[in-house]
Amino acid sequence: MSEQQALSQPLQTEEPLLNDQEMQFWLDKAVAWGQADSPDTQKDTCLHMSRLRDFLHQLLTQVNSMSSTTETMKRLPFLGQLLGRLCWNPYVTVCDTSRGLLLGCLWGLYSERPSNAVEKKANQWIRELPFTAKDRNNGKNKKTFSPQLGPSGRTGQMYGFRPEMVCLRVSPRRDHTVLHYHGMSFEEMTDKQSMRKVLCQLSTEEDETAAQALMKCTGVPAKEYHLKVLRKKVALLQENVGQSCTLFNSQRCSCDRIVDISEACIPIVTCPEASSLISLLLQRPVACVTEALSEDFLNALTSAYSRQGLALEEQALVSLWYHSFSSLEEAVLSLLQSVITTGLTPQKLEQQVAQSLLPKACAQHCSIFLVVNDIFRSILKQAEGNESVKTLVQTFTKCFLRELALLKPQTSISVKAFFPQSPSSLLVPLLTMPSEMPQGAWRNHLNWLSSSLQRLTEEEEEEEEGDGRSTRGHHNVFEAWFLLVQCAHWVQVAVQLLVTSGTEDGDPFLWLLIFYHYPTKRWHHRASQLARAKEAWNHIRTLFSGAAHPLPSDRLQSLGTLVSPQPEQQSFAPSLTVSLLVNVAVFCQLPPSGSAEVLQAVVDQSGLLDEAACVLSSLELRLNEGCCLSRDTVHLRIKELQKMITQMHSE
Amino acid sequence: MEAVLKNLASTVEMLAVAAQSDAVNHWDKQTLSRAFHWARYCEHIFSRFHNNAAIRRIMEKQLQLTNQTLRDTIPGYTEVSFSDLPRCQHLLLVRLLNNPELPSSLMKILFDTTRPVKTMHGDYEDVTGLCSHIVQCKSVYKVLSPLADMSALGADAEVQGEMLMERLEALLNQGSETCRAEQFLGSVLQGCEGALQQFCLVIAAALLTSKNCTAQTAAHDFLLDWLQKKHSLLQYMCSLLSPTLLKDLAKEHQKLRDASCNVLKKWASEMEYSLSDGEWVLTSTGPGVSFKKLTELFLALFDASPSLRGDVEKELNALKISDGDFDVTGLSVWGDLLSALNM
């Protein structure tokens, strides 16, 4: 033993060399796994799989860095034994990654042109290994091997006079076998043919005599047979899963078996043959108190899904989210990541949100919607000015409501259940879409909304003055604001109404807009923002009134300074200004070309081209969807503006 | 037809090369794909012509010739028969993997672990990862097989039973060539030497397949007749079956019900009372059961067919009377049997 230890002394290399302890650890593991087949062993194997993968990766790197097989065998004397045992462990071979790493190590040991006796024997070792491991898997102590294996004439040579082979063979005194092997030098048992033999056995040997006879007599090839048997087994297990919970006695119920099945599926979550079984497991109705799906199973699914190694059908995915909070969280965050990029048109955004299946899942399970909204809340609290997040929340809610309406006939859950924290008086008014009420009613509706929200903020401010530490008012205002973000279609209507109101009082609308963009600006801050908003609004109105021609440069300039970021003062919400701008451009009385000219000038000055394009797209989308009276002039103006923007983009 | 025969001969020659020649050293990915393509071709011509007796004979003749030539030139050559053709790709794979000259480049292709899309490499279907798939399939099954499921026979026995029935139905469908069907069953039995237990499970599974068509009924009938002719096999099967399984089988097949009833009665007649055990035991060699199991099996048969109960009761009674009609345990197996069966 010590000789081998001396041989495997670490050299001076930059990479951390695998130490003896690690190798011994894994060797012991491989031996233990091969000897027993109890549920505990299976569980242990599954728990160690990812660590084993990392270890195999390190091994592979090291094997590939060696210049010859001889060197490899000197440095890693137990490598052969380890690989051989692992080859026959179905938990290792079932996963594409670990199988690939294992084979990679084997290729590394294979010498195409063996330069010495050691290397000549190297592959034979690989070849010999399955003879012993094979028995172990069968549980029978086969003393002879099927003579079909191996080229004719060499069978006797296989286990006739190779003592190291004999000592590896499974005997009643298993541990003695292992110890005995350790005493042998590795070099004796290798040959070029060994690896080929292992691989031949792995893929073509049949454990069962009857299976082989039937295959031969019926002309069914092995590949087809094994696939059939696997599918049959999966179908039988699916029958098991499909059964509803039955009590055996007062303590145990049949859900125990389902837990076993779900745990057994952990190593095979990414295998397509198992996907129907896994789908069924996920969608099994939760009938009794016992947790039918193991935590490890759900975690395995989540990590496979995030690595994109999992193909789940829609309902199975929804069920996964329902069962596993972490998988839901991952899905939401990945949606966020994919949409918080510039250049996504509103249509594209809506498409992507719908495709993520999250709105559908939310409609089916109230709990999912609540979790998703909590995630949105926490993100908004950290970045309330982030327009793309706000737009996402609005689009998401829109898609969700659509899915909910599709489901509505079947469910009888009140809408309140989905929005438990929102102020109930505002819920229905805000959730109602503008298209669901006559256009003439919009003004009153918005006036009412604006004053309700104002009242809420005033309550909060009073509370703050009084107690200073009470947060209920603050909470109410936040929830009201969050609901407004979810239902931001009313904010868009407010802009439109403000722009088209003419001489009527637009203050409530302006207040609403300020509140939407600056929810936390309270007291005099809000008042000052309101004043600035009015100023910008005046500038814009004048620019588009058509009265001034050519465009007054001072107006342009002041608008420009108001919008662009200044070091001393915070820039006034560009998003608010842009939406005002675009809406005015669309609904003003100027001819389309004139309107486009003005907008171009402003955008030139302030550099908000992308934002303008975005607002224009969503305005067009809303007008098209909402079956508003299609005023031809409005649409002409939109077309003209779009043309202008495209032109500016290409410059 | 001539072209077909030529291709057949070339493919068989190719198999021989794959098995033993060092020419494989020079095979590349394209050659490999092409080889499998021709193997697939042979599978195809088998499925097209195996029902056509005339063409079949021509092909067998060709194979004979080719085998002869190869046998003369290559030492240790393994013949390819007509019935091997439907598994030609598998044969090719086995021969390649057993060829000591197989280069690692080909092994790497066959065991590639990336999931290949079914691409055409040039004109031929890609065989990259072929062995990898097989290994994975087997591994998934090994992972799932310890789990208890709804089957009394096991997934493998069920599939094997289906395979048996499919082939049997096809053979019987071809007209009155019952000798081929007999041959088929015989060769399966022979192939299962040393695994007789599994064979019995396969027969049970085959008899329990339920497609509800005339072809299957005919095949079942044929199988039952064949089974009845093999007394020792039938006896062995009865000794292996669980009462539940026997009940299911007896429910479907009256012939089997009657045949196994006879086996049970025969066992009973051969039993002797052992004073040391306080039980009736079978002293004859060969497969048998305990007295307890015997009663369980009888009860299973009655469960399957209530009318049988009455008939058997009459018979046993008559036998009991002929034994002296005593009600003391240990004197007449028939009497004890009657009381154990609650009759």
Side-chain angles (χ1 to χ4, degrees), chain A residues 4 36 58 117 168 194 242 320 388 416 508 598 624:
Chain A
Q4 264 137 3
Q58 284 181 298
L168 249 199
S194 312
L320 175 62
S388 30
K416 181 87 179 109
V598 179
N624 285 339

Side-chain angles (χ1 to χ4, degrees), chain A residues 344-553:
Chain A
L344 263 186
T345 64
Q347 291 91 336
K348 264 264 171 70
L349 175 63
E350 206 174 300
Q351 215 178 33
Q352 228 169 323
V353 169
Q355 270 174 358
S356 74
L357 291 179
L358 281 165
K360 204 178 216 173
C362 289
Q364 289 177 15
H365 300 278
C366 188
S367 52
I368 295 185
F369 186 61
L370 295 178
V371 170
V372 172
N373 274 332
D374 273 340
I375 299 177
F376 286 155
R377 274 191 188 87
S378 57
I379 293 181
L380 281 173
K381 277 183 183 157
Q382 290 166 31
E384 71 182 36
N386 193 326
E387 281 310 307
S388 30
V389 177
K390 277 153 83 177
T391 319
L392 171 64
V393 173
Q394 180 194 352
T395 314
F396 190 91
T397 313
K398 180 178 169 195
C399 293
F400 158 71
L401 289 169
R402 197 165 40 207
E403 292 289 341
L404 193 63
L406 288 172
L407 272 186
K408 208 58 180 293
Q410 297 151 24
T411 61
S412 51
I413 307 175
S414 79
V415 152
K416 181 87 179 109
F418 288 94
F419 299 90
Q421 297 177 41
S422 312
S424 31
S425 56
L426 290 170
L427 190 56
V428 174
L430 273 172
L431 282 178
T432 318
M433 297 294 270
S435 52
E436 289 169 3
M437 61 169 65
Q439 211 166 333
W442 287 358
R443 172 165 293 277
N444 280 339
H445 191 84
L446 273 170
N447 275 330
W448 180 86
L449 276 173
S450 180
S451 54
S452 303
L453 286 167
Q454 275 186 0
R455 224 190 338 229
L456 262 176
T457 56
E458 281 158 20
E459 272 170 26
E460 184 212 9
E461 286 165 15
E462 273 166 27
E463 225 178 60
E464 283 249 352
E465 267 173 32
D467 194 324
R469 258 177 295 152
S470 155
T471 49
R472 198 167 67 92
H474 182 67
H475 173 82
N476 280 342
V477 171
F478 176 77
E479 285 303 322
W481 177 76
F482 185 64
L483 185 60
L484 186 63
V485 171
Q486 288 174 302
C487 307
H489 39 264
W490 284 114
V491 175
Q492 290 163 342
V493 168
V495 180
Q496 182 182 342
L497 282 187
L498 178 67
V499 159
T500 53
S501 49
T503 49
E504 286 165 70
D505 186 15
D507 275 356
F509 304 150
L510 211 48
W511 188 94
L512 193 65
L513 291 176
I514 295 292
F515 177 63
Y516 176 74
H517 289 279
Y518 295 103
T520 51
K521 292 277 187 284
R522 302 197 287 272
W523 305 316
H524 59 278
H525 287 152
R526 190 170 286 137
S528 78
Q529 292 295 56
L530 207 53
R532 287 169 83 189
K534 277 205 175 142
E535 206 191 317
W537 173 222
N538 277 327
H539 286 314
I540 295 171
R541 242 200 317 217
T542 327
L543 284 170
F544 280 89
S545 65
H549 217 100
L551 294 167
S553 59

Side-chain angles (χ1 to χ4, degrees), chain A residues 93-94 96 99 112 193 196-197 199 202-203 205 208 210 214-215 220 222 225-226 229 232-233 240, chain B residues 87 90 97-100 104 115 132 134 136 138-140 144 147-150 156 158 160 162 198:
Chain A
T93 51
V94 85
D96 283 346
R99 188 170 70 246
E112 198 67 66
Q193 302 305 321
R196 183 185 52 75
K197 264 294 168 173
L199 298 175
L202 261 178
S203 44
E205 252 297 285
E208 265 194 49
L214 271 158
M215 278 188 256
V220 173
Y225 169 74
H226 286 292
V229 175
K232 171 72 74 171
K233 181 72 188 183
N240 246 5
Chain B
R87 302 182 308 136
H90 176 72
L97 290 175
N98 276 297
N99 188 339
S104 65
R115 281 196 172 270
S132 197
I134 299 174
Q136 201 216 22
K138 283 172 147 183
S139 307
V140 177
L144 290 176
L147 294 168
D149 61 35
M150 305 292 302
D156 48 356
E158 282 193 27
Q160 287 159 16
E162 282 166 12
Q198 183 69 15

Side-chain angles (χ1 to χ4, degrees), chain B residues 62-81:
Chain B
Q62 175 65 59
L63 281 171
Q64 227 178 358
L65 286 168
T66 318
N67 279 326
Q68 181 73 45
T69 329
L70 290 169
R71 209 187 1 244
D72 292 338
T73 42
I74 303 175
Y77 169 71
T78 326
E79 292 194 358
V80 177
S81 73

Side-chain angles (χ1 to χ4, degrees), chain A residues 37 42 88 90-91 93-96 99-100 103 107 110 112 137 148-152 192-193 195-197 199-223 225-230 232-234 236-237 239-240 243 257 260-261 264-265 267-268 270-274 277, chain B residues 20 25 43 76 81 83-84 86-87 90 93-94 96-105 107-109 111-115 118 130-151 154-164 166-167 184 187-188 190-195 198-199 202:
Chain A
D37 214 7
Q42 287 156 26
W88 290 91
Y91 297 92
T93 51
V94 85
C95 164
D96 283 346
R99 188 170 70 246
L103 287 170
W107 304 140
Y110 189 99
E112 198 67 66
N137 276 356
Q148 329 153 272
L149 265 203
S152 46
K192 180 190 178 183
Q193 302 305 321
M195 181 167 71
R196 183 185 52 75
K197 264 294 168 173
L199 298 175
C200 177
Q201 271 227 286
L202 261 178
S203 44
T204 62
E205 252 297 285
E206 294 305 329
D207 284 347
E208 265 194 49
T209 325
Q212 197 156 24
L214 271 158
M215 278 188 256
K216 188 157 202 287
C217 298
T218 59
V220 173
K223 188 169 170 197
Y225 169 74
H226 286 292
L227 203 55
K228 272 196 173 127
V229 175
L230 176 60
K232 171 72 74 171
K233 181 72 188 183
V234 169
L236 289 170
L237 287 173
E239 265 182 66
N240 246 5
Q243 274 191 327
R257 246 187 269 149
D260 292 337
I261 297 179
C265 284
I268 54 175
T270 51
C271 300
E273 294 85 12
L277 180 60
Chain B
Q20 285 162 292
N25 253 314
E43 290 183 10
S81 73
S83 55
D84 286 334
R87 302 182 308 136
H90 176 72
L93 184 65
V94 172
L96 274 174
L97 290 175
N98 276 297
N99 188 339
E101 297 298 320
L102 185 71
S104 65
S105 55
M107 270 197 269
K108 284 182 193 170
I109 294 172
F111 283 91
D112 192 278
T113 49
T114 53
R115 281 196 172 270
K118 280 279 181 190
L130 178 67
C131 293
S132 197
H133 281 167
I134 299 174
V135 171
Q136 201 216 22
C137 187
K138 283 172 147 183
S139 307
V140 177
Y141 179 69
K142 280 194 198 143
V143 166
L144 290 176
S145 60
L147 294 168
D149 61 35
M150 305 292 302
S151 163
D156 48 356
E158 282 193 27
V159 171
Q160 287 159 16
E162 282 166 12
M163 282 160 67
L164 186 90
E166 215 179 295
R167 184 83 185 118
F184 163 66
S187 51
V188 175
Q190 199 179 18
C192 290
E193 208 176 290
Q198 183 69 15
F199 180 75
V202 175

Side-chain angles (χ1 to χ4, degrees), chain B residues 44-309:
Chain B
H44 173 71
I45 58 175
F46 176 88
S47 64
R48 269 205 72 194
F49 297 121
H50 75 284
N51 279 331
N52 186 324
I55 298 189
R56 187 200 166 101
R57 246 173 281 130
I58 300 174
M59 289 197 184
E60 282 173 334
K61 193 127 192 280
Q62 175 65 59
L63 281 171
Q64 227 178 358
L65 286 168
T66 318
N67 279 326
Q68 181 73 45
T69 329
L70 290 169
R71 209 187 1 244
D72 292 338
T73 42
I74 303 175
Y77 169 71
T78 326
E79 292 194 358
V80 177
S81 73
F82 187 73
S83 55
D84 286 334
L85 289 182
R87 302 182 308 136
C88 204
Q89 287 183 87
H90 176 72
L91 288 182
L92 174 59
L93 184 65
V94 172
R95 275 153 214 247
L96 274 174
L97 290 175
N98 276 297
N99 188 339
E101 297 298 320
L102 185 71
S104 65
S105 55
L106 289 189
M107 270 197 269
K108 284 182 193 170
I109 294 172
L110 288 168
F111 283 91
D112 192 278
T113 49
T114 53
R115 281 196 172 270
V117 182
K118 280 279 181 190
T119 50
M120 301 295 269
H121 198 80
D123 292 315
Y124 308 113
E125 204 175 299
D126 204 352
V127 289
T128 313
L130 178 67
C131 293
S132 197
H133 281 167
I134 299 174
V135 171
Q136 201 216 22
C137 187
K138 283 172 147 183
S139 307
V140 177
Y141 179 69
K142 280 194 198 143
V143 166
L144 290 176
S145 60
L147 294 168
D149 61 35
M150 305 292 302
S151 163
L153 294 160
D156 48 356
E158 282 193 27
V159 171
Q160 287 159 16
E162 282 166 12
M163 282 160 67
L164 186 90
M165 283 307 290
E166 215 179 295
R167 184 83 185 118
L168 199 56
E169 281 170 40
L171 284 169
L172 292 173
N173 225 3
Q174 287 164 35
S176 52
E177 281 202 44
T178 52
C179 57
R180 281 185 67 198
E182 284 249 9
Q183 260 179 348
F184 163 66
L185 287 174
S187 51
V188 175
L189 177 58
Q190 199 179 18
C192 290
E193 208 176 290
L196 215 52
Q197 191 168 358
Q198 183 69 15
F199 180 75
C200 291
L201 289 179
V202 175
I203 299 291
L207 288 170
L208 287 172
T209 55
S210 52
K211 246 172 24 191
N212 280 332
C213 63
T214 42
Q216 192 179 72
T217 325
H220 275 158
D221 251 349
F222 185 86
L223 186 58
L224 285 165
D225 289 336
W226 178 85
L227 188 60
Q228 279 187 291
K229 282 185 259 172
K230 305 227 175 290
H231 294 294
S232 51
L233 183 63
L234 180 63
Q235 231 185 322
Y236 184 53
M237 195 163 144
C238 289
S239 73
L240 285 178
L241 294 173
S242 69
T244 335
L245 211 47
L246 183 63
K247 175 178 134 196
D248 288 335
L249 282 166
K251 236 192 205 160
E252 299 295 321
H253 306 284
Q254 186 170 358
K255 272 191 202 174
L256 187 63
R257 181 201 77 187
D258 294 336
S260 36
C261 194
N262 289 335
V263 169
L264 295 182
K265 283 186 273 185
K266 177 163 174 289
W267 273 334
S269 68
E270 290 168 5
M271 282 189 172
E272 280 175 19
Y273 195 76
S274 150
L275 282 165
S276 47
D277 293 327
E279 260 294 358
W280 290 92
V281 289
L282 264 176
T283 48
S284 54
T285 50
V289 292
S290 65
F291 186 76
K292 185 162 184 282
K293 179 129 193 244
L294 186 69
T295 51
E296 283 171 6
L297 290 174
F298 264 119
L299 288 171
L301 285 179
F302 298 156
D303 243 345
S305 164
S307 60
L308 187 67
R309 195 186 178 99

